């Protein structure tokens, strides 16, 4: 876990995410939340959290992310990915 910069959970329920992080002793600063801003966005919640929840990340080095998603029927998936600084896009709020 020391080699992972952030754990990006599927943003379905803040209580579940906090419980899982506490259960495996993940530091709070490694688990960004966007559920308050977007609600339970379903499948797009992981990419939304990458682009919106990591706005305060260091901009000069690659990030190692552990992506974790789960759903109904006890389905789940995870992926460990490395992203170069140029590969991480920031979510920009568009206004009219």
């Amino acid at each position: 876990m020391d080699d992972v910069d952030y754990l990006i959970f599927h943003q379905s329920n803040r209580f579940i995410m906090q419980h899982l992080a506490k259960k495996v002793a993940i530091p709070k600063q490694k688990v960004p939340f966007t559920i308050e801003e977007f609600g339970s966005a379903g499948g797009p919640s992981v990419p939304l959290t990458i682009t919106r929840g990591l706005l305060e990340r260091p901009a000069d080095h690659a990030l190692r992310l552990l992506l974790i998603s789960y759903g109904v029927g006890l389905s789940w998936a995870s992926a460990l990915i490395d992203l170069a600084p140029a590969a991480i896009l920031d979510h920009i709020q568009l206004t009219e």
Side-chain angles (χ1 to χ4, degrees):
M1 291 306 298
D2 292 337
D3 293 335
V4 175
D5 295 304
Y6 295 99
L7 284 85
I8 310 296
F9 282 99
H10 165 59
Q11 303 284 306
S12 63
N13 181 300
R14 187 175 182 96
F15 173 78
I16 291 172
M17 292 181 288
Q18 287 177 325
H19 178 74
L20 291 172
K22 183 178 177 181
K23 192 83 168 162
V24 291
I26 301 166
K28 290 180 183 182
Q29 65 271 18
K30 286 191 173 195
V31 183
F33 294 101
T34 58
I35 192 166
E36 286 85 7
E37 187 173 2
F38 297 107
S40 181
S45 69
V46 170
L48 278 172
T49 303
I50 292 171
T51 60
R52 188 65 172 188
L54 303 181
L55 295 177
E56 297 180 17
R57 71 185 184 284
D60 59 346
H61 71 85
L63 294 179
R64 176 162 284 179
L65 306 177
L66 180 57
L67 312 179
I68 304 166
S69 189
Y70 48 88
V72 297
L74 298 177
S75 60
W76 61 273
S78 63
L80 182 64
I81 63 171
D82 292 316
L83 291 179
I88 303 169
L89 301 175
D90 290 334
H91 180 90
I92 300 169
Q93 185 174 357
L94 301 175
T95 58
E96 294 182 41

